[in-house]
Amino acid sequence: MKAGILGGGQLGRMLLQAAANYDVETYVLESDQHCPAAHLAHHFIKGNITDFNDVYSFGKRVDVLTIEIENVNIEALEQLEKEGVKIFPRPAALRIIKNKIYQKQFYQQHAIRTSEFVVIDSKEKISAFSEMFPAVLKLGEGGYDGRGVMMLDEKTNPAEAFDAPCVLEKKVAIKHELACIVAVDEAMKTAAYPPVEMYFDPQLNLLDFQLCPSQLPDVIQAQAAALAVKTVAAFKSPGIFAVELFVDKDDNVWVNETAPRVHNSGHHTIEASYCSQFDMLWRIMMKLPLGNTDSIMPSALVNLTGSAGNAGIPVYEGLEKTFAMHNSFVHIYGKKQTKPGRKMGHITLLGNDIKALIKDAKNIKDSLNVVSKK
Protein backbone atom coordinates (compact mmCIF):
# COMPACT_ATOMS: atom_id res chain seq x y z
CA MET A 1 0.00 0.00 0.00
CA LYS A 2 1.14 3.54 -0.78
CA ALA A 3 0.41 6.05 1.97
CA GLY A 4 0.90 9.80 1.90
CA ILE A 5 1.32 12.33 4.72
CA LEU A 6 0.64 16.02 4.18
CA GLY A 7 3.27 17.76 6.29
CA GLY A 8 6.74 16.73 7.35
CA GLY A 9 7.12 18.16 10.84
CA GLN A 10 7.51 16.27 14.11
CA LEU A 11 4.09 14.60 13.84
CA GLY A 12 4.90 13.37 10.36
CA ARG A 13 8.23 12.13 11.65
CA MET A 14 6.61 10.13 14.46
CA LEU A 15 4.05 8.70 12.05
CA LEU A 16 6.85 7.52 9.80
CA GLN A 17 8.73 5.98 12.71
CA ALA A 18 5.62 3.92 13.48
CA ALA A 19 5.21 3.02 9.80
CA ALA A 20 8.33 0.85 10.04
CA ASN A 21 6.13 -1.81 11.66
CA TYR A 22 3.85 -2.08 8.63
CA ASP A 23 4.09 -3.12 5.00
CA VAL A 24 3.58 0.36 3.57
CA GLU A 25 5.40 2.59 1.09
CA THR A 26 5.44 6.13 2.49
CA TYR A 27 5.30 9.54 0.79
CA VAL A 28 5.62 12.98 2.39
CA LEU A 29 4.66 16.35 0.92
CA GLU A 30 6.43 19.31 2.53
CA SER A 31 7.96 22.60 1.34
CA ASP A 32 11.14 22.17 3.42
CA GLN A 33 13.41 19.40 2.18
CA HIS A 34 15.23 19.51 5.55
CA CYS A 35 12.06 18.96 7.60
CA PRO A 36 12.15 16.37 10.44
CA ALA A 37 10.26 13.72 8.41
CA ALA A 38 12.12 14.06 5.09
CA HIS A 39 14.78 11.39 5.65
CA LEU A 40 12.33 8.78 6.98
CA ALA A 41 9.91 8.67 4.05
CA HIS A 42 10.47 6.35 1.09
CA HIS A 43 9.59 9.30 -1.14
CA PHE A 44 9.91 12.98 -0.25
CA ILE A 45 8.00 15.38 -2.50
CA LYS A 46 8.71 19.07 -2.22
CA GLY A 47 5.51 21.10 -2.38
CA ASN A 48 3.01 23.29 -0.57
CA ILE A 49 0.32 21.50 1.45
CA THR A 50 -2.03 24.48 0.97
CA ASP A 51 -1.69 24.54 -2.84
CA PHE A 52 -4.41 22.70 -4.81
CA ASN A 53 -2.12 21.43 -7.59
CA ASP A 54 0.64 20.28 -5.22
CA VAL A 55 -1.78 18.39 -2.96
CA TYR A 56 -3.77 16.92 -5.86
CA SER A 57 -0.72 15.66 -7.78
CA PHE A 58 0.75 14.26 -4.57
CA GLY A 59 -2.49 12.49 -3.70
CA LYS A 60 -2.63 10.80 -7.11
CA ARG A 61 0.55 8.90 -6.18
CA VAL A 62 -0.95 7.15 -3.15
CA ASP A 63 -3.79 4.87 -2.06
CA VAL A 64 -4.43 6.51 1.32
CA LEU A 65 -3.69 9.97 2.63
CA THR A 66 -3.52 11.58 6.06
CA ILE A 67 -2.44 14.89 7.56
CA GLU A 68 -0.16 16.10 10.32
CA ILE A 69 -1.75 19.57 10.47
CA GLU A 70 -5.17 20.99 9.59
CA ASN A 71 -3.87 23.78 7.36
CA VAL A 72 -4.12 21.86 4.08
CA ASN A 73 -5.96 22.37 0.80
CA ILE A 74 -9.43 20.90 1.39
CA GLU A 75 -10.59 21.33 -2.23
CA ALA A 76 -7.80 19.08 -3.47
CA LEU A 77 -8.65 16.45 -0.86
CA GLU A 78 -12.32 16.55 -1.86
CA GLN A 79 -11.39 15.94 -5.49
CA LEU A 80 -9.03 13.12 -4.57
CA GLU A 81 -11.74 11.48 -2.47
CA LYS A 82 -14.12 11.60 -5.47
CA GLU A 83 -11.45 9.81 -7.50
CA GLY A 84 -11.06 6.98 -5.00
CA VAL A 85 -8.20 8.04 -2.71
CA LYS A 86 -8.96 7.23 0.93
CA ILE A 87 -8.56 10.35 3.10
CA PHE A 88 -8.13 10.15 6.89
CA PRO A 89 -9.95 12.10 8.20
CA ARG A 90 -12.55 12.65 5.49
CA PRO A 91 -12.42 16.11 3.89
CA ALA A 92 -15.97 16.88 5.09
CA ALA A 93 -14.87 16.47 8.71
CA LEU A 94 -11.63 18.34 8.12
CA ARG A 95 -13.47 21.30 6.59
CA ILE A 96 -15.48 21.69 9.80
CA ILE A 97 -12.66 21.13 12.25
CA LYS A 98 -10.02 23.37 10.64
CA ASN A 99 -12.32 26.39 11.09
CA LYS A 100 -13.02 27.14 14.77
CA ILE A 101 -16.22 29.00 13.87
CA TYR A 102 -17.61 25.96 12.03
CA GLN A 103 -16.39 23.75 14.86
CA LYS A 104 -18.33 25.65 17.52
CA GLN A 105 -21.45 25.75 15.35
CA PHE A 106 -21.12 22.00 14.81
CA TYR A 107 -21.05 21.38 18.57
CA GLN A 108 -24.12 23.54 18.99
CA GLN A 109 -25.99 21.71 16.20
CA HIS A 110 -25.20 18.29 17.71
CA ALA A 111 -26.04 19.21 21.32
CA ILE A 112 -22.44 18.81 22.42
CA ARG A 113 -21.74 20.80 25.58
CA THR A 114 -19.46 23.72 24.72
CA SER A 115 -19.02 27.29 25.96
CA GLU A 116 -21.34 30.12 24.93
CA PHE A 117 -20.05 31.89 21.81
CA VAL A 118 -20.71 34.45 19.09
CA VAL A 119 -19.12 34.85 15.67
CA ILE A 120 -17.19 38.09 15.07
CA ASP A 121 -16.33 39.09 11.49
CA SER A 122 -14.12 42.10 12.38
CA LYS A 123 -12.50 43.54 15.48
CA GLU A 124 -14.82 46.55 15.39
CA LYS A 125 -17.67 44.24 16.43
CA ILE A 126 -16.02 43.04 19.64
CA SER A 127 -17.14 45.94 21.83
CA ALA A 128 -20.78 45.08 21.07
CA PHE A 129 -20.37 41.83 23.02
CA SER A 130 -18.53 43.13 26.08
CA GLU A 131 -21.19 41.50 28.29
CA MET A 132 -19.47 38.18 27.47
CA PHE A 133 -16.19 39.27 29.04
CA PRO A 134 -14.03 37.69 30.29
CA ALA A 135 -13.85 35.83 27.01
CA VAL A 136 -11.52 34.06 24.61
CA LEU A 137 -11.11 35.27 21.03
CA LYS A 138 -9.98 32.62 18.51
CA LEU A 139 -9.14 33.07 14.85
CA GLY A 140 -11.48 31.11 12.63
CA GLU A 141 -8.55 29.68 10.65
CA GLY A 142 -4.78 29.71 10.98
CA GLY A 143 -4.34 29.41 14.75
CA TYR A 144 -1.99 26.69 15.95
CA ASP A 145 0.13 25.86 19.02
CA GLY A 146 -1.22 28.74 21.08
CA ARG A 147 -1.19 31.25 18.25
CA GLY A 148 -4.43 32.86 17.13
CA VAL A 149 -5.86 33.00 20.68
CA MET A 150 -6.44 36.12 22.81
CA MET A 151 -7.87 36.54 26.30
CA LEU A 152 -10.26 39.50 26.49
CA ASP A 153 -11.66 41.49 29.41
CA GLU A 154 -13.04 44.96 30.03
CA LYS A 155 -9.55 46.46 29.81
CA THR A 156 -8.78 45.00 26.38
CA ASN A 157 -8.15 47.47 23.56
CA PRO A 158 -10.20 46.21 20.57
CA ALA A 159 -7.56 47.68 18.24
CA GLU A 160 -5.19 44.91 19.38
CA ALA A 161 -7.60 42.10 18.45
CA PHE A 162 -7.49 39.93 15.33
CA ASP A 163 -9.06 41.67 12.35
CA ALA A 164 -10.46 38.53 10.73
CA PRO A 165 -13.43 36.19 11.25
CA CYS A 166 -13.21 34.88 14.80
CA VAL A 167 -15.23 33.08 17.43
CA LEU A 168 -15.68 34.89 20.75
CA GLU A 169 -16.20 32.38 23.57
CA LYS A 170 -17.41 33.21 27.04
CA LYS A 171 -14.68 32.05 29.40
CA VAL A 172 -15.54 28.96 31.43
CA ALA A 173 -14.56 28.84 35.12
CA ILE A 174 -12.04 26.09 34.45
CA LYS A 175 -10.93 23.80 37.27
CA HIS A 176 -9.21 21.14 35.17
CA GLU A 177 -8.28 20.54 31.52
CA LEU A 178 -8.40 17.11 29.92
CA ALA A 179 -7.81 15.55 26.53
CA CYS A 180 -8.98 12.26 25.10
CA ILE A 181 -7.69 10.57 21.95
CA VAL A 182 -10.40 8.69 20.05
CA ALA A 183 -9.81 6.26 17.17
CA VAL A 184 -12.47 5.50 14.55
CA ASP A 185 -12.22 2.80 11.90
CA GLU A 186 -14.03 2.74 8.53
CA ALA A 187 -16.90 0.77 10.07
CA MET A 188 -17.32 3.69 12.53
CA LYS A 189 -16.19 1.53 15.46
CA THR A 190 -14.51 3.67 18.12
CA ALA A 191 -11.81 3.15 20.72
CA ALA A 192 -10.91 5.80 23.30
CA TYR A 193 -7.66 6.20 25.19
CA PRO A 194 -7.85 7.09 28.90
CA PRO A 195 -8.27 10.87 29.37
CA VAL A 196 -5.10 12.75 30.27
CA GLU A 197 -4.93 15.70 32.65
CA MET A 198 -3.20 18.70 31.08
CA TYR A 199 -1.32 21.63 32.60
CA PHE A 200 -0.70 24.64 30.37
CA ASP A 201 1.95 27.34 30.24
CA PRO A 202 -0.12 30.50 30.92
CA GLN A 203 2.16 32.72 28.81
CA LEU A 204 2.57 30.47 25.77
CA ASN A 205 -0.89 28.88 25.98
CA LEU A 206 0.87 25.59 25.21
CA LEU A 207 0.76 22.21 26.92
CA ASP A 208 3.42 22.26 29.63
CA PHE A 209 3.07 18.75 31.02
CA GLN A 210 0.35 16.14 31.46
CA LEU A 211 -0.54 13.08 33.50
CA CYS A 212 -2.12 9.79 32.45
CA PRO A 213 -4.30 8.61 33.98
CA SER A 214 -5.97 11.78 35.15
CA GLN A 215 -6.22 12.08 38.92
CA LEU A 216 -9.84 13.27 38.72
CA PRO A 217 -12.70 11.09 40.06
CA ASP A 218 -13.64 8.12 37.90
CA VAL A 219 -17.09 9.55 37.20
CA ILE A 220 -15.59 12.72 35.66
CA GLN A 221 -13.13 10.71 33.59
CA ALA A 222 -15.99 8.53 32.33
CA GLN A 223 -18.02 11.62 31.42
CA ALA A 224 -15.04 13.10 29.57
CA ALA A 225 -14.41 9.91 27.59
CA ALA A 226 -18.10 9.55 26.72
CA LEU A 227 -18.32 13.18 25.57
CA ALA A 228 -15.17 12.77 23.48
CA VAL A 229 -16.58 9.67 21.77
CA LYS A 230 -19.92 11.41 21.16
CA THR A 231 -18.10 14.38 19.63
CA VAL A 232 -15.93 12.30 17.33
CA ALA A 233 -18.79 10.02 16.27
CA ALA A 234 -20.74 13.08 15.09
CA PHE A 235 -18.08 13.82 12.45
CA LYS A 236 -18.78 10.45 10.78
CA SER A 237 -15.18 9.99 9.71
CA PRO A 238 -12.50 7.38 10.31
CA GLY A 239 -9.19 8.55 11.71
CA ILE A 240 -7.56 9.70 14.93
CA PHE A 241 -9.06 12.64 16.81
CA ALA A 242 -7.95 14.51 19.93
CA VAL A 243 -10.76 16.13 21.92
CA GLU A 244 -9.71 18.81 24.40
CA LEU A 245 -12.11 19.27 27.30
CA PHE A 246 -12.71 21.50 30.34
CA VAL A 247 -14.01 20.59 33.77
CA ASP A 248 -15.66 23.60 35.40
CA LYS A 249 -15.96 24.52 39.08
CA ASP A 250 -19.24 22.53 39.28
CA ASP A 251 -17.58 19.43 37.74
CA ASN A 252 -19.43 19.80 34.44
CA VAL A 253 -17.44 18.61 31.41
CA TRP A 254 -17.29 20.80 28.29
CA VAL A 255 -15.71 20.32 24.85
CA ASN A 256 -13.15 22.97 23.98
CA GLU A 257 -11.71 21.92 20.61
CA THR A 258 -11.08 18.89 18.42
CA ALA A 259 -7.92 18.14 16.45
CA PRO A 260 -8.40 15.76 13.46
CA ARG A 261 -5.02 14.04 13.74
CA VAL A 262 -2.39 12.60 16.02
CA HIS A 263 -1.84 15.12 18.80
CA ASN A 264 0.59 16.34 21.45
CA SER A 265 -1.73 15.03 24.19
CA GLY A 266 -1.28 11.51 22.81
CA HIS A 267 2.51 11.39 22.52
CA HIS A 268 2.82 9.47 25.80
CA THR A 269 1.08 6.52 24.11
CA ILE A 270 4.33 5.63 22.32
CA GLU A 271 5.73 4.14 25.53
CA ALA A 272 2.78 4.16 27.92
CA SER A 273 0.08 2.36 25.87
CA TYR A 274 -0.19 -1.07 24.28
CA CYS A 275 -1.01 0.59 20.94
CA SER A 276 0.26 4.13 20.35
CA GLN A 277 -1.85 6.77 18.62
CA PHE A 278 0.55 6.54 15.67
CA ASP A 279 0.23 2.76 15.37
CA MET A 280 -3.51 3.16 15.71
CA LEU A 281 -3.72 5.50 12.72
CA TRP A 282 -1.75 3.04 10.56
CA ARG A 283 -4.10 0.26 11.66
CA ILE A 284 -7.10 2.35 10.60
CA MET A 285 -5.59 3.27 7.22
CA MET A 286 -4.61 -0.35 6.53
CA LYS A 287 -8.01 -1.78 7.59
CA LEU A 288 -6.51 -3.68 10.52
CA PRO A 289 -8.35 -4.21 13.84
CA LEU A 290 -8.26 -1.29 16.25
CA GLY A 291 -5.47 -1.65 18.80
CA ASN A 292 -5.56 -1.87 22.59
CA THR A 293 -5.90 1.64 24.08
CA ASP A 294 -5.20 0.55 27.67
CA SER A 295 -2.23 2.07 29.48
CA ILE A 296 0.68 -0.18 30.37
CA MET A 297 1.45 2.02 33.38
CA PRO A 298 0.95 5.63 34.50
CA SER A 299 2.91 8.32 32.70
CA ALA A 300 3.80 11.98 32.63
CA LEU A 301 4.72 13.95 29.54
CA VAL A 302 6.83 17.12 29.48
CA ASN A 303 7.00 19.37 26.44
CA LEU A 304 10.35 20.88 25.48
CA THR A 305 9.93 24.37 24.07
CA GLY A 306 12.39 27.01 22.96
CA SER A 307 13.48 29.27 25.82
CA ALA A 308 12.61 32.96 25.87
CA GLY A 309 15.16 35.17 24.16
CA ASN A 310 16.70 32.32 22.16
CA ALA A 311 16.49 31.86 18.40
CA GLY A 312 18.87 29.92 16.19
CA ILE A 313 20.61 26.54 16.22
CA PRO A 314 19.24 24.63 19.24
CA VAL A 315 21.31 23.51 22.23
CA TYR A 316 19.66 21.25 24.83
CA GLU A 317 21.08 22.27 28.20
CA GLY A 318 20.64 19.65 30.93
CA LEU A 319 19.75 16.81 28.58
CA GLU A 320 22.32 14.46 30.17
CA LYS A 321 20.49 14.66 33.51
CA THR A 322 17.24 13.67 31.81
CA PHE A 323 18.88 10.74 30.02
CA ALA A 324 20.23 9.57 33.40
CA MET A 325 16.71 9.14 34.78
CA HIS A 326 15.82 5.44 34.65
CA ASN A 327 12.18 6.09 33.72
CA SER A 328 12.60 8.73 30.99
CA PHE A 329 12.11 8.44 27.22
CA VAL A 330 13.56 11.37 25.29
CA HIS A 331 12.14 12.53 21.95
CA ILE A 332 14.02 15.31 20.14
CA TYR A 333 12.16 16.44 17.02
CA GLY A 334 15.18 17.26 14.87
CA LYS A 335 14.21 20.86 14.14
CA LYS A 336 17.16 22.86 12.84
CA GLN A 337 16.11 26.14 14.46
CA THR A 338 14.71 27.01 17.87
CA LYS A 339 12.70 30.08 18.79
CA PRO A 340 10.78 31.11 21.92
CA GLY A 341 7.86 28.77 22.55
CA ARG A 342 8.55 26.46 19.62
CA LYS A 343 8.00 22.76 20.36
CA MET A 344 11.40 21.09 20.11
CA GLY A 345 10.73 17.73 21.73
CA HIS A 346 9.07 15.92 24.59
CA ILE A 347 9.97 13.62 27.48
CA THR A 348 7.75 10.74 28.58
CA LEU A 349 8.14 9.44 32.13
CA LEU A 350 6.77 6.09 33.31
CA GLY A 351 6.12 4.93 36.87
CA ASN A 352 3.45 3.70 39.25
CA ASP A 353 3.93 6.54 41.76
CA ILE A 354 2.00 9.58 40.49
CA LYS A 355 3.59 11.95 43.02
CA ALA A 356 7.03 10.83 41.91
CA LEU A 357 6.07 11.36 38.26
CA ILE A 358 4.93 14.90 39.00
CA LYS A 359 8.17 15.59 40.89
CA ASP A 360 10.27 14.21 38.02
CA ALA A 361 8.32 16.27 35.48
CA LYS A 362 8.90 19.45 37.46
CA ASN A 363 12.59 18.62 37.82
CA ILE A 364 12.89 18.30 34.05
CA LYS A 365 11.09 21.62 33.54
CA ASP A 366 13.60 23.26 35.92
CA SER A 367 16.77 21.63 34.61
CA LEU A 368 16.29 21.13 30.84
CA ASN A 369 16.31 24.22 28.61
CA VAL A 370 16.34 24.63 24.84
CA VAL A 371 18.60 27.58 24.07
CA SER A 372 20.36 28.78 20.93
CA LYS A 373 23.97 28.18 20.02
CA LYS A 374 26.20 31.10 20.98
Side-chain angles (χ1 to χ4, degrees), residues 12-322:
R13 174 176 172 163
M14 287 186 274
L15 271 170
L16 288 169
Q17 287 170 335
N21 297 322
Y22 301 91
D23 183 19
V24 59
E25 187 176 353
T26 55
Y27 294 70
V28 165
L29 179 69
E30 175 60 61
S31 59
D32 180 8
Q33 62 185 4
H34 301 295
C35 67
H39 69 289
L40 290 175
H42 293 106
H43 308 278
F44 173 81
I45 311 299
K46 189 172 183 178
N48 188 339
I49 62 174
T50 66
D51 180 82
F52 180 95
N53 291 328
D54 286 354
V55 173
Y56 178 76
S57 61
F58 176 78
K60 294 299 289 182
R61 302 168 183 256
V62 301
D63 306 305
V64 299
L65 191 60
T66 192
I67 63 168
E68 74 145 15
I69 188 172
E70 295 90 316
N71 188 29
V72 297
N73 191 286
I74 302 295
E75 291 74 19
L77 294 182
E78 290 171 336
Q79 184 59 39
L80 288 166
E81 185 177 51
K82 289 177 183 176
E83 297 177 14
V85 179
K86 295 280 189 178
I87 315 289
F88 300 87
R90 288 175 179 153
L94 190 54
R95 184 176 286 280
I96 296 168
I97 295 174
K98 73 174 292 192
N99 186 302
K100 290 184 171 61
I101 296 171
Y102 300 163
Q103 222 186 112
K104 292 290 284 191
Q105 293 169 337
F106 180 85
Y107 300 150
Q108 189 178 63
Q109 292 161 5
H110 289 81
I112 294 166
R113 185 197 290 270
T114 193
S115 57
E116 181 184 345
F117 71 96
V118 293
V119 176
I120 305 290
D121 58 11
S122 68
K123 61 185 179 183
E124 285 76 18
K125 304 289 182 64
I126 292 173
S127 57
F129 297 96
S130 58
E131 74 278 0
M132 293 186 65
F133 291 174
V136 182
L137 186 69
K138 298 179 181 178
L139 277 174
E141 292 199 18
Y144 186 68
D145 271 357
R147 297 184 292 274
V149 177
M150 283 185 66
M151 303 298 172
L152 304 182
D153 57 28
E154 291 78 3
K155 299 178 182 178
T156 302
N157 181 358
E160 298 174 355
F162 309 122
D163 196 19
C166 294
V167 59
L168 181 69
E169 302 180 12
K170 190 172 182 61
K171 192 173 180 182
V172 175
I174 300 170
K175 188 164 64 173
H176 303 284
E177 298 193 50
L178 301 173
C180 185
I181 304 290
V182 180
V184 188
D185 66 14
E186 288 195 86
M188 296 295 105
K189 181 180 178 182
T190 61
Y193 288 85
V196 300
E197 193 167 353
M198 304 189 295
Y199 300 85
F200 283 83
D201 183 305
Q203 277 73 48
L204 297 174
N205 198 32
L206 283 175
L207 179 65
D208 202 6
F209 74 96
Q210 70 182 35
L211 294 175
C212 183
S214 161
Q215 296 306 287
L216 299 183
D218 289 347
V219 64
I220 294 179
Q221 293 191 57
Q223 289 175 15
L227 186 54
V229 170
K230 175 184 177 181
T231 301
V232 170
F235 289 113
K236 295 182 171 58
S237 171
I240 286 283
F241 299 82
V243 183
E244 297 182 3
L245 309 115
F246 297 143
V247 180
D248 69 16
K249 60 183 179 59
D250 297 318
D251 289 339
N252 297 309
V253 183
W254 307 66
V255 170
N256 177 26
E257 295 179 0
T258 302
R261 51 174 170 77
V262 290
H263 191 259
N264 193 173
S265 63
H267 289 350
H268 67 291
T269 62
I270 297 171
E271 288 88 19
S273 301
Y274 287 100
C275 179
S276 78
Q277 64 170 344
F278 303 98
D279 279 301
M280 187 71 84
L281 183 53
W282 285 116
R283 283 172 173 257
I284 292 167
M285 290 193 290
M286 299 184 71
K287 297 185 177 182
L288 297 172
L290 293 177
N292 185 351
T293 58
D294 290 345
S295 297
I296 299 171
M297 67 169 53
S299 65
L301 180 140
V302 181
N303 266 348
L304 304 183
T305 57
S307 299
N310 285 267
I313 299 172
V315 176
Y316 298 85
E317 293 183 342
L319 192 57
E320 296 83 0
K321 183 177 179 180
T322 302

